[in-house]
mmCIF file of all heavy atoms in Angstrom:
data_model
loop_
_atom_site.group_PDB
_atom_site.id
_atom_site.type_symbol
_atom_site.label_atom_id
_atom_site.label_comp_id
_atom_site.label_asym_id
_atom_site.label_seq_id
_atom_site.Cartn_x
_atom_site.Cartn_y
_atom_site.Cartn_z
ATOM 1 N N LYS I 1 -89.528 137.046 -117.503
ATOM 2 C CA LYS I 1 -89.742 138.330 -118.169
ATOM 3 C C LYS I 1 -88.791 139.372 -117.588
ATOM 4 O O LYS I 1 -88.685 139.521 -116.373
ATOM 5 C CB LYS I 1 -91.188 138.807 -117.993
ATOM 6 C CG LYS I 1 -92.189 137.940 -118.716
ATOM 7 C CD LYS I 1 -93.588 138.485 -118.586
ATOM 8 C CE LYS I 1 -94.556 137.565 -119.322
ATOM 9 N NZ LYS I 1 -95.914 138.062 -119.298
ATOM 10 N N VAL I 2 -88.106 140.089 -118.495
ATOM 11 C CA VAL I 2 -87.163 141.117 -118.081
ATOM 12 C C VAL I 2 -87.355 142.369 -118.928
ATOM 13 O O VAL I 2 -87.907 142.316 -120.028
ATOM 14 C CB VAL I 2 -85.700 140.630 -118.202
ATOM 15 C CG1 VAL I 2 -85.440 139.462 -117.276
ATOM 16 C CG2 VAL I 2 -85.342 140.285 -119.635
ATOM 17 N N ALA I 3 -86.874 143.484 -118.397
ATOM 18 C CA ALA I 3 -86.854 144.739 -119.145
ATOM 19 C C ALA I 3 -85.397 145.126 -119.357
ATOM 20 O O ALA I 3 -84.556 144.922 -118.474
ATOM 21 C CB ALA I 3 -87.587 145.835 -118.380
ATOM 22 N N ILE I 4 -85.100 145.670 -120.530
ATOM 23 C CA ILE I 4 -83.744 146.138 -120.823
ATOM 24 C C ILE I 4 -83.737 147.660 -120.873
ATOM 25 O O ILE I 4 -84.771 148.305 -121.049
ATOM 26 C CB ILE I 4 -83.208 145.557 -122.149
ATOM 27 C CG1 ILE I 4 -84.115 145.942 -123.324
ATOM 28 C CG2 ILE I 4 -83.025 144.060 -122.031
ATOM 29 C CD1 ILE I 4 -83.562 145.555 -124.690
ATOM 30 N N ASP I 5 -82.567 148.234 -120.719
ATOM 31 C CA ASP I 5 -82.385 149.682 -120.802
ATOM 32 C C ASP I 5 -82.351 150.074 -122.279
ATOM 33 O O ASP I 5 -81.306 150.007 -122.927
ATOM 34 C CB ASP I 5 -81.096 150.075 -120.094
ATOM 35 C CG ASP I 5 -80.844 151.567 -120.112
ATOM 36 O OD1 ASP I 5 -81.661 152.327 -120.688
ATOM 37 O OD2 ASP I 5 -79.815 151.991 -119.550
ATOM 38 N N THR I 6 -83.486 150.456 -122.803
ATOM 39 C CA THR I 6 -83.573 150.783 -124.229
ATOM 40 C C THR I 6 -82.879 152.101 -124.565
ATOM 41 O O THR I 6 -82.502 152.322 -125.714
ATOM 42 C CB THR I 6 -85.043 150.846 -124.692
ATOM 43 O OG1 THR I 6 -85.746 151.784 -123.871
ATOM 44 C CG2 THR I 6 -85.697 149.479 -124.585
ATOM 45 N N GLU I 7 -82.698 152.971 -123.569
ATOM 46 C CA GLU I 7 -82.039 154.257 -123.806
ATOM 47 C C GLU I 7 -80.572 154.084 -124.177
ATOM 48 O O GLU I 7 -80.057 154.789 -125.031
ATOM 49 C CB GLU I 7 -82.158 155.149 -122.565
ATOM 50 C CG GLU I 7 -83.576 155.563 -122.229
ATOM 51 C CD GLU I 7 -84.166 156.496 -123.275
ATOM 52 O OE1 GLU I 7 -83.453 157.406 -123.725
ATOM 53 O OE2 GLU I 7 -85.345 156.301 -123.633
ATOM 54 N N SER I 8 -79.880 153.154 -123.510
ATOM 55 C CA SER I 8 -78.449 152.976 -123.782
ATOM 56 C C SER I 8 -78.152 151.701 -124.580
ATOM 57 O O SER I 8 -76.989 151.374 -124.805
ATOM 58 C CB SER I 8 -77.652 152.966 -122.476
ATOM 59 O OG SER I 8 -78.037 151.874 -121.677
ATOM 60 N N ALA I 9 -79.183 150.994 -125.008
ATOM 61 C CA ALA I 9 -78.977 149.774 -125.799
ATOM 62 C C ALA I 9 -78.300 150.115 -127.120
ATOM 63 O O ALA I 9 -78.522 151.175 -127.702
ATOM 64 C CB ALA I 9 -80.317 149.098 -126.067
ATOM 65 N N VAL I 10 -77.456 149.213 -127.578
ATOM 66 C CA VAL I 10 -76.818 149.350 -128.887
ATOM 67 C C VAL I 10 -77.429 148.279 -129.777
ATOM 68 O O VAL I 10 -77.379 147.091 -129.463
ATOM 69 C CB VAL I 10 -75.291 149.168 -128.786
ATOM 70 C CG1 VAL I 10 -74.661 149.152 -130.168
ATOM 71 C CG2 VAL I 10 -74.691 150.266 -127.925
ATOM 72 N N ILE I 11 -78.043 148.701 -130.869
ATOM 73 C CA ILE I 11 -78.696 147.768 -131.776
ATOM 74 C C ILE I 11 -77.748 147.465 -132.931
ATOM 75 O O ILE I 11 -77.316 148.352 -133.649
ATOM 76 C CB ILE I 11 -80.033 148.336 -132.307
ATOM 77 C CG1 ILE I 11 -80.967 148.700 -131.149
ATOM 78 C CG2 ILE I 11 -80.690 147.343 -133.264
ATOM 79 C CD1 ILE I 11 -81.293 147.533 -130.224
ATOM 80 N N GLY I 12 -77.437 146.185 -133.073
ATOM 81 C CA GLY I 12 -76.492 145.751 -134.095
ATOM 82 C C GLY I 12 -77.106 145.685 -135.476
ATOM 83 O O GLY I 12 -78.319 145.828 -135.655
ATOM 84 N N ARG I 13 -76.256 145.435 -136.431
ATOM 85 C CA ARG I 13 -76.694 145.412 -137.831
ATOM 86 C C ARG I 13 -77.530 144.177 -138.166
ATOM 87 O O ARG I 13 -78.410 144.228 -139.015
ATOM 88 C CB ARG I 13 -75.471 145.464 -138.729
ATOM 89 C CG ARG I 13 -75.823 145.380 -140.188
ATOM 90 C CD ARG I 13 -74.665 145.742 -141.048
ATOM 91 N NE ARG I 13 -75.044 145.598 -142.446
ATOM 92 C CZ ARG I 13 -74.312 146.035 -143.435
ATOM 93 N NH1 ARG I 13 -73.194 146.644 -143.195
ATOM 94 N NH2 ARG I 13 -74.698 145.849 -144.668
ATOM 95 N N TYR I 14 -77.257 143.040 -137.507
ATOM 96 C CA TYR I 14 -77.888 141.801 -137.922
ATOM 97 C C TYR I 14 -78.956 141.263 -136.989
ATOM 98 O O TYR I 14 -79.760 140.457 -137.394
ATOM 99 C CB TYR I 14 -76.828 140.728 -138.167
ATOM 100 C CG TYR I 14 -75.921 141.095 -139.301
ATOM 101 C CD1 TYR I 14 -74.634 141.533 -139.072
ATOM 102 C CD2 TYR I 14 -76.378 141.056 -140.610
ATOM 103 C CE1 TYR I 14 -73.809 141.894 -140.126
ATOM 104 C CE2 TYR I 14 -75.569 141.418 -141.670
ATOM 105 C CZ TYR I 14 -74.286 141.844 -141.420
ATOM 106 O OH TYR I 14 -73.476 142.208 -142.457
ATOM 107 N N GLU I 15 -78.933 141.627 -135.733
ATOM 108 C CA GLU I 15 -79.918 141.095 -134.787
ATOM 109 C C GLU I 15 -80.341 142.186 -133.821
ATOM 110 O O GLU I 15 -79.573 143.090 -133.515
ATOM 111 C CB GLU I 15 -79.348 139.926 -133.982
ATOM 112 C CG GLU I 15 -79.016 138.713 -134.809
ATOM 113 C CD GLU I 15 -80.221 137.885 -135.206
ATOM 114 O OE1 GLU I 15 -81.364 138.389 -135.174
ATOM 115 O OE2 GLU I 15 -80.026 136.722 -135.571
ATOM 116 N N ASP I 16 -81.566 142.092 -133.334
ATOM 117 C CA ASP I 16 -82.022 143.004 -132.299
ATOM 118 C C ASP I 16 -82.757 142.184 -131.241
ATOM 119 O O ASP I 16 -82.644 140.970 -131.202
ATOM 120 C CB ASP I 16 -82.888 144.121 -132.879
ATOM 121 C CG ASP I 16 -84.146 143.593 -133.561
ATOM 122 O OD1 ASP I 16 -84.510 142.421 -133.357
ATOM 123 O OD2 ASP I 16 -84.775 144.364 -134.302
ATOM 124 N N PHE I 17 -83.498 142.830 -130.399
ATOM 125 C CA PHE I 17 -84.182 142.158 -129.296
ATOM 126 C C PHE I 17 -85.623 141.818 -129.661
ATOM 127 O O PHE I 17 -86.563 142.186 -128.982
ATOM 128 C CB PHE I 17 -84.098 143.014 -128.033
ATOM 129 C CG PHE I 17 -82.677 143.257 -127.608
ATOM 130 C CD1 PHE I 17 -82.075 144.484 -127.796
ATOM 131 C CD2 PHE I 17 -81.935 142.240 -127.054
ATOM 132 C CE1 PHE I 17 -80.766 144.698 -127.419
ATOM 133 C CE2 PHE I 17 -80.616 142.435 -126.676
ATOM 134 C CZ PHE I 17 -80.032 143.668 -126.861
ATOM 135 N N SER I 18 -85.779 141.108 -130.762
ATOM 136 C CA SER I 18 -87.087 140.711 -131.262
ATOM 137 C C SER I 18 -87.382 139.255 -130.921
ATOM 138 O O SER I 18 -86.466 138.461 -130.701
ATOM 139 C CB SER I 18 -87.151 140.865 -132.790
ATOM 140 O OG SER I 18 -86.941 142.196 -133.162
ATOM 141 N N ALA I 19 -88.662 138.916 -130.913
ATOM 142 C CA ALA I 19 -89.080 137.531 -130.669
ATOM 143 C C ALA I 19 -88.414 136.608 -131.678
ATOM 144 O O ALA I 19 -88.304 136.932 -132.861
ATOM 145 C CB ALA I 19 -90.596 137.419 -130.756
ATOM 146 N N GLY I 20 -87.938 135.482 -131.195
ATOM 147 C CA GLY I 20 -87.295 134.489 -132.038
ATOM 148 C C GLY I 20 -85.784 134.567 -132.033
ATOM 149 O O GLY I 20 -85.113 133.639 -132.476
ATOM 150 N N ASN I 21 -85.230 135.667 -131.543
ATOM 151 C CA ASN I 21 -83.782 135.821 -131.539
ATOM 152 C C ASN I 21 -83.154 135.189 -130.301
ATOM 153 O O ASN I 21 -83.716 135.223 -129.212
ATOM 154 C CB ASN I 21 -83.383 137.292 -131.636
ATOM 155 C CG ASN I 21 -83.633 137.856 -133.020
ATOM 156 O OD1 ASN I 21 -83.839 137.106 -133.970
ATOM 157 N ND2 ASN I 21 -83.623 139.164 -133.140
ATOM 158 N N ASP I 22 -81.968 134.623 -130.495
ATOM 159 C CA ASP I 22 -81.202 134.025 -129.403
ATOM 160 C C ASP I 22 -80.368 135.094 -128.722
ATOM 161 O O ASP I 22 -79.842 135.996 -129.393
ATOM 162 C CB ASP I 22 -80.275 132.941 -129.951
ATOM 163 C CG ASP I 22 -81.037 131.795 -130.564
ATOM 164 O OD1 ASP I 22 -81.923 131.248 -129.879
ATOM 165 O OD2 ASP I 22 -80.763 131.438 -131.728
ATOM 166 N N VAL I 23 -80.227 134.976 -127.404
ATOM 167 C CA VAL I 23 -79.437 135.936 -126.647
ATOM 168 C C VAL I 23 -78.549 135.225 -125.633
ATOM 169 O O VAL I 23 -78.895 134.159 -125.121
ATOM 170 C CB VAL I 23 -80.323 136.974 -125.906
ATOM 171 C CG1 VAL I 23 -80.999 137.914 -126.889
ATOM 172 C CG2 VAL I 23 -81.355 136.306 -125.013
ATOM 173 N N LEU I 24 -77.414 135.824 -125.373
ATOM 174 C CA LEU I 24 -76.528 135.420 -124.296
ATOM 175 C C LEU I 24 -76.740 136.422 -123.172
ATOM 176 O O LEU I 24 -76.722 137.633 -123.415
ATOM 177 C CB LEU I 24 -75.072 135.460 -124.759
ATOM 178 C CG LEU I 24 -74.017 135.294 -123.676
ATOM 179 C CD1 LEU I 24 -73.966 133.851 -123.201
ATOM 180 C CD2 LEU I 24 -72.657 135.745 -124.174
ATOM 181 N N ILE I 25 -76.994 135.927 -121.980
ATOM 182 C CA ILE I 25 -77.184 136.798 -120.822
ATOM 183 C C ILE I 25 -76.058 136.489 -119.854
ATOM 184 O O ILE I 25 -75.823 135.325 -119.518
ATOM 185 C CB ILE I 25 -78.545 136.553 -120.158
ATOM 186 C CG1 ILE I 25 -79.661 136.819 -121.169
ATOM 187 C CG2 ILE I 25 -78.704 137.424 -118.914
ATOM 188 C CD1 ILE I 25 -81.018 136.309 -120.740
ATOM 189 N N HIS I 26 -75.348 137.529 -119.434
ATOM 190 C CA HIS I 26 -74.244 137.266 -118.512
ATOM 191 C C HIS I 26 -74.202 138.295 -117.388
ATOM 192 O O HIS I 26 -74.645 139.426 -117.533
ATOM 193 C CB HIS I 26 -72.901 137.183 -119.241
ATOM 194 C CG HIS I 26 -72.483 138.449 -119.918
ATOM 195 N ND1 HIS I 26 -71.701 139.390 -119.318
ATOM 196 C CD2 HIS I 26 -72.740 138.902 -121.151
ATOM 197 C CE1 HIS I 26 -71.477 140.387 -120.147
ATOM 198 N NE2 HIS I 26 -72.107 140.109 -121.271
ATOM 199 N N VAL I 27 -73.667 137.839 -116.264
ATOM 200 C CA VAL I 27 -73.479 138.701 -115.097
ATOM 201 C C VAL I 27 -72.109 139.332 -115.276
ATOM 202 O O VAL I 27 -71.094 138.649 -115.210
ATOM 203 C CB VAL I 27 -73.551 137.890 -113.788
ATOM 204 C CG1 VAL I 27 -73.432 138.815 -112.593
ATOM 205 C CG2 VAL I 27 -74.842 137.082 -113.720
ATOM 206 N N SER I 28 -72.072 140.632 -115.530
ATOM 207 C CA SER I 28 -70.829 141.248 -115.978
ATOM 208 C C SER I 28 -70.149 142.166 -114.979
ATOM 209 O O SER I 28 -68.962 142.444 -115.140
ATOM 210 C CB SER I 28 -71.067 141.999 -117.288
ATOM 211 O OG SER I 28 -72.119 142.912 -117.153
ATOM 212 N N ALA I 29 -70.849 142.652 -113.979
ATOM 213 C CA ALA I 29 -70.205 143.585 -113.052
ATOM 214 C C ALA I 29 -70.972 143.676 -111.743
ATOM 215 O O ALA I 29 -72.147 143.318 -111.664
ATOM 216 C CB ALA I 29 -70.104 144.974 -113.694
ATOM 217 N N SER I 30 -70.274 144.172 -110.736
ATOM 218 C CA SER I 30 -70.877 144.422 -109.436
ATOM 219 C C SER I 30 -70.005 145.408 -108.687
ATOM 220 O O SER I 30 -68.775 145.404 -108.838
ATOM 221 C CB SER I 30 -71.002 143.132 -108.627
ATOM 222 O OG SER I 30 -71.506 143.418 -107.332
ATOM 223 N N ALA I 31 -70.630 146.234 -107.867
ATOM 224 C CA ALA I 31 -69.877 147.199 -107.074
ATOM 225 C C ALA I 31 -69.081 146.511 -105.967
ATOM 226 O O ALA I 31 -67.985 146.924 -105.635
ATOM 227 C CB ALA I 31 -70.813 148.248 -106.485
ATOM 228 N N LYS I 32 -69.659 145.438 -105.384
ATOM 229 C CA LYS I 32 -68.957 144.805 -104.271
ATOM 230 C C LYS I 32 -69.112 143.285 -104.210
ATOM 231 O O LYS I 32 -68.314 142.609 -103.584
ATOM 232 C CB LYS I 32 -69.424 145.397 -102.944
ATOM 233 C CG LYS I 32 -70.913 145.217 -102.676
ATOM 234 C CD LYS I 32 -71.313 145.853 -101.365
ATOM 235 C CE LYS I 32 -72.797 145.660 -101.131
ATOM 236 N NZ LYS I 32 -73.220 146.159 -99.862
ATOM 237 N N GLU I 33 -70.101 142.721 -104.863
ATOM 238 C CA GLU I 33 -70.339 141.277 -104.815
ATOM 239 C C GLU I 33 -69.560 140.572 -105.929
ATOM 240 O O GLU I 33 -69.302 141.153 -106.974
ATOM 241 C CB GLU I 33 -71.832 140.981 -104.959
ATOM 242 C CG GLU I 33 -72.708 141.661 -103.927
ATOM 243 C CD GLU I 33 -72.487 141.143 -102.512
ATOM 244 O OE1 GLU I 33 -72.092 139.974 -102.351
ATOM 245 O OE2 GLU I 33 -72.687 141.916 -101.565
ATOM 246 N N THR I 34 -69.205 139.320 -105.721
ATOM 247 C CA THR I 34 -68.443 138.593 -106.743
ATOM 248 C C THR I 34 -68.978 137.193 -107.035
ATOM 249 O O THR I 34 -68.585 136.587 -108.024
ATOM 250 C CB THR I 34 -66.968 138.448 -106.318
ATOM 251 O OG1 THR I 34 -66.911 137.736 -105.081
ATOM 252 C CG2 THR I 34 -66.296 139.799 -106.176
ATOM 253 N N GLU I 35 -69.864 136.680 -106.221
ATOM 254 C CA GLU I 35 -70.288 135.284 -106.332
ATOM 255 C C GLU I 35 -70.839 134.919 -107.710
ATOM 256 O O GLU I 35 -70.587 133.830 -108.230
ATOM 257 C CB GLU I 35 -71.340 134.963 -105.268
ATOM 258 C CG GLU I 35 -71.789 133.524 -105.287
ATOM 259 C CD GLU I 35 -72.796 133.185 -104.191
ATOM 260 O OE1 GLU I 35 -73.106 134.053 -103.354
ATOM 261 O OE2 GLU I 35 -73.276 132.053 -104.195
ATOM 262 N N TYR I 36 -71.592 135.820 -108.342
ATOM 263 C CA TYR I 36 -72.256 135.489 -109.608
ATOM 264 C C TYR I 36 -71.570 136.070 -110.840
ATOM 265 O O TYR I 36 -71.994 135.785 -111.959
ATOM 266 C CB TYR I 36 -73.718 135.937 -109.555
ATOM 267 C CG TYR I 36 -74.501 135.176 -108.510
ATOM 268 C CD1 TYR I 36 -74.725 135.726 -107.249
ATOM 269 C CD2 TYR I 36 -74.961 133.890 -108.760
ATOM 270 C CE1 TYR I 36 -75.418 135.014 -106.272
ATOM 271 C CE2 TYR I 36 -75.649 133.174 -107.793
ATOM 272 C CZ TYR I 36 -75.868 133.739 -106.559
ATOM 273 O OH TYR I 36 -76.544 133.022 -105.589
ATOM 274 N N ILE I 37 -70.525 136.864 -110.679
ATOM 275 C CA ILE I 37 -69.846 137.460 -111.830
ATOM 276 C C ILE I 37 -69.293 136.369 -112.741
ATOM 277 O O ILE I 37 -68.682 135.413 -112.284
ATOM 278 C CB ILE I 37 -68.737 138.428 -111.382
ATOM 279 C CG1 ILE I 37 -69.377 139.687 -110.796
ATOM 280 C CG2 ILE I 37 -67.813 138.799 -112.539
ATOM 281 C CD1 ILE I 37 -68.401 140.737 -110.355
ATOM 282 N N GLY I 38 -69.538 136.512 -114.030
ATOM 283 C CA GLY I 38 -69.059 135.561 -115.028
ATOM 284 C C GLY I 38 -70.056 134.480 -115.381
ATOM 285 O O GLY I 38 -69.891 133.796 -116.376
ATOM 286 N N LYS I 39 -71.097 134.330 -114.600
ATOM 287 C CA LYS I 39 -72.107 133.313 -114.926
ATOM 288 C C LYS I 39 -72.906 133.790 -116.144
ATOM 289 O O LYS I 39 -73.110 134.986 -116.344
ATOM 290 C CB LYS I 39 -73.022 133.070 -113.734
ATOM 291 C CG LYS I 39 -72.284 132.429 -112.572
ATOM 292 C CD LYS I 39 -73.230 131.991 -111.492
ATOM 293 C CE LYS I 39 -72.462 131.356 -110.369
ATOM 294 N NZ LYS I 39 -72.392 129.938 -110.425
ATOM 295 N N TYR I 40 -73.369 132.831 -116.941
ATOM 296 C CA TYR I 40 -74.107 133.195 -118.149
ATOM 297 C C TYR I 40 -75.091 132.087 -118.519
ATOM 298 O O TYR I 40 -75.009 130.974 -118.015
ATOM 299 C CB TYR I 40 -73.150 133.438 -119.321
ATOM 300 C CG TYR I 40 -72.441 132.193 -119.781
ATOM 301 C CD1 TYR I 40 -72.971 131.422 -120.806
ATOM 302 C CD2 TYR I 40 -71.263 131.766 -119.179
ATOM 303 C CE1 TYR I 40 -72.347 130.262 -121.230
ATOM 304 C CE2 TYR I 40 -70.617 130.611 -119.600
ATOM 305 C CZ TYR I 40 -71.164 129.870 -120.615
ATOM 306 O OH TYR I 40 -70.536 128.733 -121.028
ATOM 307 N N MET I 41 -76.000 132.428 -119.412
ATOM 308 C CA MET I 41 -76.910 131.445 -119.990
ATOM 309 C C MET I 41 -77.323 131.924 -121.372
ATOM 310 O O MET I 41 -77.222 133.105 -121.684
ATOM 311 C CB MET I 41 -78.129 131.207 -119.103
ATOM 312 C CG MET I 41 -79.125 132.319 -119.040
ATOM 313 S SD MET I 41 -80.513 131.831 -117.977
ATOM 314 C CE MET I 41 -81.607 133.215 -118.206
ATOM 315 N N VAL I 42 -77.766 130.982 -122.178
ATOM 316 C CA VAL I 42 -78.282 131.294 -123.507
ATOM 317 C C VAL I 42 -79.779 131.034 -123.480
ATOM 318 O O VAL I 42 -80.235 130.021 -122.953
ATOM 319 C CB VAL I 42 -77.601 130.424 -124.583
ATOM 320 C CG1 VAL I 42 -78.234 130.665 -125.946
ATOM 321 C CG2 VAL I 42 -76.109 130.702 -124.624
ATOM 322 N N ALA I 43 -80.560 131.970 -124.013
ATOM 323 C CA ALA I 43 -82.017 131.837 -124.052
ATOM 324 C C ALA I 43 -82.526 132.378 -125.384
ATOM 325 O O ALA I 43 -81.787 132.993 -126.145
ATOM 326 C CB ALA I 43 -82.651 132.596 -122.883
ATOM 327 N N LYS I 44 -83.784 132.154 -125.629
ATOM 328 C CA LYS I 44 -84.448 132.689 -126.823
ATOM 329 C C LYS I 44 -85.494 133.700 -126.361
ATOM 330 O O LYS I 44 -86.156 133.496 -125.349
ATOM 331 C CB LYS I 44 -85.120 131.561 -127.606
ATOM 332 C CG LYS I 44 -85.760 132.030 -128.911
ATOM 333 C CD LYS I 44 -86.327 130.888 -129.707
ATOM 334 C CE LYS I 44 -85.303 130.012 -130.329
ATOM 335 N NZ LYS I 44 -84.474 130.577 -131.378
ATOM 336 N N ILE I 45 -85.619 134.798 -127.083
ATOM 337 C CA ILE I 45 -86.685 135.759 -126.815
ATOM 338 C C ILE I 45 -87.961 135.205 -127.432
ATOM 339 O O ILE I 45 -88.035 134.989 -128.644
ATOM 340 C CB ILE I 45 -86.369 137.152 -127.399
ATOM 341 C CG1 ILE I 45 -85.099 137.719 -126.752
ATOM 342 C CG2 ILE I 45 -87.551 138.098 -127.194
ATOM 343 C CD1 ILE I 45 -84.620 139.013 -127.378
ATOM 344 N N LEU I 46 -88.954 134.939 -126.607
ATOM 345 C CA LEU I 46 -90.216 134.378 -127.088
ATOM 346 C C LEU I 46 -91.217 135.462 -127.468
ATOM 347 O O LEU I 46 -92.018 135.284 -128.382
ATOM 348 C CB LEU I 46 -90.823 133.466 -126.024
ATOM 349 C CG LEU I 46 -89.958 132.281 -125.579
ATOM 350 C CD1 LEU I 46 -90.652 131.506 -124.467
ATOM 351 C CD2 LEU I 46 -89.638 131.377 -126.768
ATOM 352 N N LEU I 47 -91.169 136.595 -126.742
ATOM 353 C CA LEU I 47 -92.156 137.655 -126.950
ATOM 354 C C LEU I 47 -91.578 138.976 -126.484
ATOM 355 O O LEU I 47 -90.877 139.034 -125.473
ATOM 356 C CB LEU I 47 -93.423 137.330 -126.147
ATOM 357 C CG LEU I 47 -94.611 138.281 -126.257
ATOM 358 C CD1 LEU I 47 -95.197 138.257 -127.661
ATOM 359 C CD2 LEU I 47 -95.678 137.892 -125.241
#
């Protein structure tokens, strides 16, 4: 279970963050760490 920043989220024309939708989750930035940058996974929003 995760929470997203709904204030700055951009909602696209065809998909949003609803149950049943597929999402790509990726580690995109860090101030000083690098070990996990670029890692990703695909999951489905269940609820």
Side-chain angles (χ1 to χ4, degrees):
K1 293 183 181 183
V2 297
I4 59 173
D5 181 359
T6 56
E7 295 293 317
S8 63
V10 173
I11 303 302
R13 177 167 178 169
Y14 296 105
E15 295 283 19
D16 61 15
F17 300 106
S18 299
N21 288 345
D22 296 307
V23 291
L24 170 73
I25 301 167
H26 63 92
V27 183
S28 54
S30 176
K32 60 181 180 176
E33 303 293 332
T34 60
E35 182 178 356
Y36 295 98
I37 288 182
K39 293 189 180 264
Y40 67 93
M41 71 179 186
V42 175
K44 184 176 288 293
I45 298 173
L46 301 177
L47 182 66

